[in-house]
Amino acid sequence: MNKKLNVKLSKNKIETYILDVLKSTTINNFTKTGKNYYVVNTKHNIRITINYNTTRIITVDHIQ
């Protein structure tokens, strides 16, 4: 995540940030396509990709 978002956060801060983003994202911005969930948060300008089966975060990308 640090590399994708061009930030330098500790592992704990990354977890806290992701949880904050997920909590502040409305259910309408969660979509399931194939084996992944996509969470789009325009306030933070990021999209989180989560594996459907394991619920592990695959990637975090900036959105425009």
Side-chain angles (χ1 to χ4, degrees), residues 26-57:
T26 62
I27 195 71
N28 296 337
N29 290 329
F30 284 74
T31 57
K32 182 180 180 292
T33 304
K35 62 181 181 175
N36 295 327
Y37 286 114
Y38 297 93
V39 181
V40 177
N41 187 301
T42 55
K43 177 182 173 190
H44 295 279
N45 292 325
I46 65 171
R47 180 184 69 199
I48 304 170
T49 305
I50 303 170
N51 181 282
Y52 172 75
N53 294 316
T54 63
T55 64
R56 295 184 87 177
I57 295 173

Side-chain angles (χ1 to χ4, degrees), residues 1-7 46-47 58-62:
M1 183 173 138
N2 282 331
K3 189 173 182 181
K4 285 275 196 164
L5 297 180
N6 198 25
V7 294
I46 65 171
R47 180 184 69 199
I58 298 170
T59 190
V60 178
D61 299 302
H62 272 291

